[in-house]
Amino acid sequence: MSSHLINVILLGLAFMLLYTAFHATTMLAQSVFEGIKNETINGTNFEGGGYISLGIASACMAIANIFAPVIISILGPSISMFMGGSTFLLYVLSFLFPMIWSFYLVSILLGIGAAILWTAQGTYLALYSDEMTVSRNAGIFWALLQIGYLPGNLFVYLSINTETITRSTRYPLFAVFSIVCAVGLAFFALIIWRTFIEHRQSNLQSSNKEEKITMANIIETLKIAVRLLKTRNMLLLLISFAYTGFSQTLFQTVYPTCIGHFIKYGGTRKRLIGLHGVLLGVGEILGGGLFGFITKPKTSSQRGLIIFIGFVLQIVFYYSVFINFPFDSPAKETNSKPYFKFDSLTSQIIAFIGSFLVGLGDSSLNIQKSQLPQSILPWQLLTYIYQKVVTREDIYAQVFVNHLTEIKCVIILYSTPGLVPHWNVVQNYTRNIAIAFDREYTNDILLELLKKCVPWKQKLNFCGIDQRYITPVIEQFVTEKKLGNYEILTHIQFELDQSVFLEKSKILPSTVPEGIEIRQLKSEDAPLMVEAWKYKSDDLYSVAQAQFCIENLCSMGAYRSGKLLCWRLLLYDGSFDMAYTIPEARRLGLSSLLSVRLTAEIFKRQERVFGYTALNNRKSLGLAAKMGFRETGISDWIQFEPIDTCVQKDLHPHILKSSI
């Protein structure tokens, strides 16, 4: 079992234990408060309300969600989850010692803690998932989370035997729930410990840990959260978020209260709240398995269909509530007639079928997760080929297919455009390789393509490789075959949204220093650029590449009296790269000026502006953040050198038929 999968399971277990207590508590809250009102506490009558308490928590959670990313950026997701989960324990404990002020204070803390907990959960799950495992991990987490409905509510069903939840019933209930919450926090503490160990063992995490978080970083994170709230997609999502909040309030708080208030159900009606929770949990668990493991929706239309099915199931549930319960049942004990008059047994059957359906429908809505970003480079390269920016003579693509319309894996061997017809006269020539693939089939098919299509007798540079899935396959293949030596250079992939760029460009400096001219680069600038560039290769590749990009794509240079001081260009694989300022021209803001102007030009050519920055290149990281780029993944560049270097002519491109 991989370390990432263990982390996901621990996350699910921690949430399962936490919500075992919390789900049962929220379903009982209004009924418990009504029982407490009949008691005299500290000489005064208790006047608290379950609806008011949870309403306060929901309002605080909505506000705190704006600030949650700042807290997580400071503390990290694991510590943030522990801190957020602690408020759930306080909330459960407050039912043991009921006081009005403590209930409402803890409700405020609960809302803030829930916002931090769930935002941190999404961050943590994303850290340990990739495009292939995200559906599996989401399904595992969701199934474990929803298991929390079963033991807590089953305990409620078996423990309550009275029409009113008295002190003698309340104490053992919430003592057990408090212990379960505490065990859940222990799992969060274990997650913190594992995170600490991983940080110590990982060079990547160690380098990130050394960077201090400044007030400017915190303010920028907060600004990004506010800006995100104003974007079109987020405003559209607010509709679905509002619906989710409404539905969960209904089936987790109002609906169980209706069951407990309906006198027609007799003296067992309070314990039936637990049975509702159990059936709700069964629906959630089955839905998590069905929609997370069995169907495995991949396209947006498939996910949309499942969401629609979930919506229909919940509509059926709402209709069953409308016809089966009196209108005043959420507010008080009642024996009023519902819209349709069923006998007690039929009414209970309808109620609990609804409990199962709403759980099934809720899981179908919540299990659908957006696919995580992947390496953009090979896809943009294929786009350039289609647009004939890069010609077929410059690119040799090896394709593996099961069917003519189902491409499973593509290995693209590409070189400096214009140099390919003459590459056999260049000694020690380096070939670039990009890989595009269907992750479900990559492991077997990629190995076959690595054997048949890659010229292992010459220097190779695997570009924009997914480090979590593709890099281990290449490493193992090279090591087992003893093909040569390799070095892995890890980069952060950044992408810039056009709407964010338009906002950022209003505040970024736009004034050109006196005596400086900014214009398109010239082909004769290429040798100077390559000479100063840290990542140049030892052959003609870099100069020819720069010349092609200058002549065919976007580029910007800053000149003083005809001398090139600073430059930036769009590479022919589509990435925003090769930025450099000569030492005597630094601190003039030239790199920012060129980046803004070049970005505006790139958006005219293509939909996505992206680039790669070495993990230790703090200046580039700072400039990327300043311009509004967001981190969308980690990619590897694998530099391979064979034991015996020789030049071989490529085989004619061909299609390999699947043998699987």
Side-chain angles (χ1 to χ4, degrees):
M1 185 182 296
S2 69
S3 175
H4 286 190
L5 182 57
I6 292 173
N7 290 335
V8 171
I9 292 174
L10 287 175
L11 179 69
L13 290 173
F15 270 79
M16 179 192 73
L17 291 165
L18 199 66
Y19 274 83
T20 290
F22 183 70
H23 282 318
T25 300
T26 56
M27 290 185 185
L28 286 173
Q30 183 65 20
S31 297
V32 170
F33 276 109
E34 290 170 358
I36 295 173
K37 286 179 182 179
N38 297 324
E39 302 172 4
T40 299
I41 302 172
N42 298 329
T44 61
N45 290 329
F46 185 84
E47 296 296 336
Y51 291 148
I52 297 174
S53 172
L54 294 174
I56 292 172
S58 298
C60 292
M61 181 178 179
I63 297 171
N65 270 311
I66 300 174
F67 304 94
V70 175
I71 296 173
I72 294 166
S73 68
I74 296 172
L75 300 179
S78 55
I79 296 177
S80 298
M81 287 190 294
F82 181 87
M83 185 177 73
S86 299
T87 63
F88 285 67
L89 176 59
L90 293 176
Y91 181 73
V92 174
L93 285 171
S94 67
F95 283 82
L96 289 172
F97 311 102
M99 292 175 282
I100 296 176
W101 69 268
S102 67
F103 267 122
Y104 294 152
L105 175 61
V106 170
S107 298
I108 293 172
L109 295 176
L110 175 67
I112 297 171
I116 296 172
L117 177 70
W118 280 101
T119 306
Q121 176 271 337
T123 303
Y124 188 84
L125 190 63
L127 285 173
Y128 295 101
S129 302
D130 55 33
E131 296 90 331
M132 185 176 182
T133 61
V134 63
S135 294
R136 180 202 67 185
N137 291 350
I140 290 173
F141 171 79
W142 190 256
L144 288 172
L145 173 66
Q146 302 315 319
I147 287 174
Y149 276 105
L150 302 183
N153 285 291
L154 187 60
F155 182 60
V156 169
Y157 179 73
L158 297 175
S159 300
I160 299 178
N161 294 306
T162 59
E163 294 187 22
T164 303
I165 300 178
T166 61
R167 183 179 304 179
S168 60
T169 304
R170 188 179 73 248
Y171 280 167
L173 271 178
F174 290 99
V176 172
F177 290 160
S178 299
I179 293 171
V180 173
C181 260
V183 176
L185 288 178
F187 273 87
F188 282 121
L190 178 59
I191 290 173
I192 294 174
W193 177 77
R194 284 181 60 86
T195 302
F196 175 74
I197 296 299
E198 289 172 358
H199 282 191
R200 293 189 62 180
Q201 294 176 348
S202 170
N203 292 331
L204 169 61
Q205 296 293 344
S206 296
S207 62
N208 285 344
K209 189 177 179 182
E210 292 173 1
E211 295 187 15
K212 296 180 180 180
I213 297 176
T214 65
M215 182 58 65
N217 299 137
I218 296 173
I219 294 173
E220 184 62 26
T221 301
L222 186 59
K223 287 181 178 179
I224 291 172
V226 174
R227 272 200 308 272
L228 180 63
L229 188 62
K230 298 187 293 184
T231 59
R232 183 187 65 177
N233 289 341
M234 185 55 68
L235 290 174
L236 290 173
L237 283 172
L238 288 178
I239 300 173
S240 63
F241 294 161
Y243 169 76
T244 301
F246 164 78
S247 64
Q248 289 190 344
T249 299
L250 179 60
F251 67 74
Q252 288 190 355
T253 306
V254 178
Y255 190 63
T257 303
C258 292
I259 294 174
H261 279 168
F262 201 10
I263 295 175
K264 185 177 183 178
Y265 287 168
T268 62
R269 59 184 181 274
K270 298 300 183 185
R271 69 185 304 200
L272 291 180
I273 295 174
L275 184 57
H276 159 72
V278 170
L279 292 172
L280 174 65
V282 171
E284 296 275 11
I285 294 166
L286 290 179
L290 176 63
F291 302 122
F293 289 97
I294 298 175
T295 57
K296 292 183 179 179
K298 296 180 180 180
T299 66
S300 58
S301 59
Q302 291 172 344
R303 289 192 291 269
L305 176 61
I306 290 178
I307 290 173
F308 178 74
I309 292 172
F311 178 73
V312 170
L313 290 173
Q314 292 202 341
I315 292 296
V316 172
F317 164 73
Y318 300 147
Y319 183 70
S320 72
V321 176
F322 173 73
I323 65 174
N324 197 33
F325 286 97
F327 294 158
D328 58 350
S329 59
K332 63 181 181 179
E333 299 269 346
T334 182
N335 202 22
S336 302
K337 293 181 180 180
Y339 192 83
F340 288 121
K341 188 177 180 180
F342 301 106
D343 61 71
S344 178
L345 179 60
T346 303
S347 179
Q348 289 184 42
I349 291 173
I350 293 173
F352 296 124
I353 289 176
S355 300
F356 172 77
L357 290 180
V358 74
L360 189 65
D362 184 61
S363 67
S364 71
L365 295 176
N366 284 283
I367 199 64
Q368 304 311 313
K369 302 290 184 180
S370 298
Q371 294 296 307
L372 298 180
Q374 58 182 321
S375 179
I376 305 172
L377 183 148
W379 304 108
Q380 186 60 51
L381 185 59
L382 289 172
T383 301
Y384 277 2
I385 297 171
Y386 177 77
Q387 295 173 347
K388 298 184 179 179
V389 174
V390 180
T391 67
R392 190 67 177 86
E393 293 180 347
D394 303 317
I395 303 294
Y396 290 156
Q398 308 290 338
V399 184
F400 191 105
V401 298
N402 249 353
H403 186 272
L404 292 178
T405 61
E406 297 180 4
I407 297 177
K408 301 302 182 185
C409 184
V410 179
I411 285 189
I412 309 168
L413 288 87
Y414 65 104
S415 307
T416 300
L419 187 60
V420 172
H422 312 290
W423 74 267
N424 57 338
V425 302
V426 182
Q427 296 299 317
N428 298 324
Y429 182 68
T430 301
R431 295 296 299 275
N432 282 357
I433 297 178
I435 300 175
F437 50 87
D438 182 333
R439 291 186 178 276
E440 186 175 353
Y441 303 98
T442 300
N443 199 36
D444 295 328
I445 296 174
L446 178 57
L447 286 173
E448 187 169 347
L449 286 175
L450 289 176
K451 295 176 185 176
K452 296 185 177 181
C453 305
V454 176
W456 293 104
K457 292 295 185 178
Q458 65 182 105
K459 293 182 179 180
L460 304 172
N461 187 22
F462 293 86
C463 305
I465 299 299
D466 188 322
Q467 67 164 192
R468 293 164 296 184
Y469 191 69
I470 296 300
T471 295
V473 176
I474 296 175
E475 279 192 282
Q476 183 178 357
F477 183 81
V478 172
T479 302
E480 289 181 353
K481 301 294 183 180
K482 298 180 180 180
L483 298 172
N485 301 316
Y486 63 90
E487 180 182 6
I488 300 176
L489 304 175
T490 302
H491 290 66
I492 297 175
Q493 177 180 279
F494 288 103
E495 186 172 1
L496 179 61
D497 292 325
Q498 191 166 10
S499 58
V500 174
F501 170 69
L502 292 175
E503 289 295 322
K504 282 285 188 179
S505 60
K506 297 176 182 178
I507 60 175
L508 290 171
S510 57
T511 304
V512 180
E514 186 177 353
I516 302 295
E517 177 189 7
I518 295 180
R519 55 178 168 81
Q520 172 82 17
L521 292 168
K522 295 183 178 180
S523 183
E524 52 265 31
D525 293 324
L528 172 63
M529 295 165 54
V530 172
E531 181 62 30
W533 196 29
K534 179 180 178 180
Y535 301 103
K536 63 179 180 293
S537 60
D538 298 329
D539 50 44
L540 298 180
Y541 162 76
S542 294
V543 174
Q545 172 185 332
Q547 289 174 335
F548 176 87
C549 296
I550 291 170
E551 294 169 359
N552 297 277
L553 299 171
C554 305
S555 66
M556 287 287 171
Y559 297 81
R560 176 188 288 152
S561 301
K563 181 182 179 181
L564 182 60
L565 305 177
C566 179
W567 55 86
R568 188 144 206 181
L569 50 76
L570 175 65
L571 295 182
Y572 65 95
D573 57 25
S575 63
F576 186 44
D577 206 353
M578 205 173 181
Y580 187 80
T581 305
I582 64 175
E584 59 265 31
R586 291 171 184 169
R587 300 188 181 277
L588 296 178
L590 297 180
S591 184
S592 296
L593 283 170
L594 294 184
S595 297
V596 171
R597 295 197 179 188
L598 183 58
T599 299
E601 291 298 317
I602 295 174
F603 271 125
K604 295 177 183 178
R605 302 181 63 101
Q606 61 194 54
E607 295 181 0
R608 308 175 78 172
V609 173
F610 67 98
Y612 299 89
T613 301
L615 292 172
N616 59 355
N617 191 339
R618 297 189 178 183
K619 291 183 179 179
S620 292
L621 291 172
L623 177 59
K626 185 178 179 181
M627 289 186 61
F629 279 87
R630 71 185 193 281
E631 181 181 337
T632 55
I634 303 293
S635 297
D636 285 337
W637 265 251
I638 305 177
Q639 297 179 350
F640 169 81
E641 185 167 354
I643 298 175
D644 298 318
T645 303
C646 67
V647 179
Q648 283 189 341
K649 190 173 182 179
D650 284 340
L651 298 174
H652 191 275
H654 58 283
I655 295 178
L656 301 174
K657 291 294 182 180
S658 174
S659 58
I660 298 175

